[in-house]
Amino acid sequence: MTVARWSGPALVVAGVGILIILILRDPADRGVIAGWIVSDAAAPARLLPLIGLAAASALVPASFALAGLAVFSAGVLLGSLELALLLATLGALPGAESHLFFTFPISSVAAGLVLLAPSAIRQWLLPLAALIAGAVLAVATKITDPTLHDPAIFVTGVVVAVWTLVAVGLTVRGFRRPWFSIPARILGSWLVAIGVLFGGAALLARPPLPELPPAQPTEALPVPPPEDAFPDLAPPRRDPLDLGADGLREP
């Protein structure tokens, strides 16, 4: 019983330790996979919904928690196989491409609703939320793959997600108390609020105005040469001090 209780914290410490080592390494020496783990796979936006889902799995019977983990894996597989369909569906939302196709708000709301649900309903909502979270995780992993084709990136993203679910779930289950439902609902309300605010702000954001092309310098109009100028029709002006040939001032 003691081993099972401390297996979760051991996984948490191991995962956090590996992440700290990767963060402290020189970015030039991390490599593609390690750099992607730091910037995407272990980013707060990726881990926060998984932590909420793991906490929810710890508040249901163990059989439902195992079923949720299996359904999550099935959701990952479904998301990878139907990636084009999911991208086309989510891409219809305004601003989807610039917000990772809303994978973060979708998974946050799904995990938050499970935490907010009453105990009698939570165990039945967990598989549905796990399916959604697994599918959007596959989408987020695929579209952030820096190599675009290396299967090691996808496998690494799935391993990080499953590690998070198992480590947090075992930790909460091992130290579970009757009053855990109170912080669980608080966490669920935060996840729902964050997801709704993030998604709503992205949906209501005005699209950027198109950039106007740079103004082309206008050529100055050519100045006509003197011979093409309009003739001066005014009478010639005389100098008032000019005297004529007879020494008299001409009128």
Side-chain angles (χ1 to χ4, degrees):
M1 185 67 179
T2 304
V3 175
R5 184 177 188 181
W6 290 98
S7 59
L11 291 175
V12 172
V13 171
V16 173
I18 294 173
L19 181 60
I20 292 175
I21 292 174
L22 294 179
I23 293 175
L24 294 179
R25 291 185 63 181
D26 188 355
D29 299 332
R30 286 177 185 167
V32 177
I33 296 180
W36 179 78
I37 292 175
V38 173
S39 62
D40 289 284
R46 192 76 60 88
L47 295 182
L48 188 58
L50 296 175
I51 292 174
L53 188 64
S57 68
L59 301 178
V60 301
S63 58
F64 285 90
L66 292 176
L69 185 60
V71 173
F72 176 83
S73 302
V76 172
L77 180 60
L78 178 64
S80 62
L81 295 178
E82 300 295 336
L83 179 64
L85 177 61
L86 290 175
L87 291 179
T89 303
L90 298 175
L93 300 174
E97 295 182 359
S98 58
H99 294 85
L100 285 181
F101 291 85
F102 297 99
T103 54
F104 170 59
I106 291 175
S107 56
S108 294
V109 172
L113 290 178
V114 178
L115 290 169
L116 288 174
S119 301
I121 304 177
R122 183 181 295 124
Q123 58 190 14
W124 303 107
L125 290 180
L126 179 63
L128 178 59
L131 181 67
I132 296 173
V136 297
L137 175 79
V139 173
T141 303
K142 287 287 188 179
I143 62 179
T144 57
D145 182 0
T147 66
L148 301 179
H149 58 79
D150 190 357
I153 293 291
F154 186 78
V155 173
T156 302
V158 175
V159 169
V160 172
V162 173
W163 188 302
T164 303
L165 290 173
V166 174
V168 177
L170 290 177
T171 300
V172 177
R173 184 176 295 274
F175 296 89
R176 180 179 175 181
R177 295 293 182 270
W179 49 267
F180 270 23
S181 59
I182 298 176
R185 287 187 171 87
I186 295 175
L187 177 60
S189 63
W190 286 352
L191 287 173
V192 172
I194 291 173
V196 171
L197 290 176
F198 183 88
L203 289 173
L204 298 178
R206 295 182 178 179
L209 297 176
E211 296 184 1
L212 298 177
Q216 299 293 333
T218 56
E219 298 182 358
L221 296 176
V223 179
E227 58 270 17
D228 295 338
F230 290 102
D232 188 6
L233 302 180
R237 299 180 61 185
R238 295 181 178 273
D239 188 352
L241 300 180
D242 186 18
L243 300 178
D246 53 358
L248 299 177
R249 181 178 299 173
E250 295 183 359

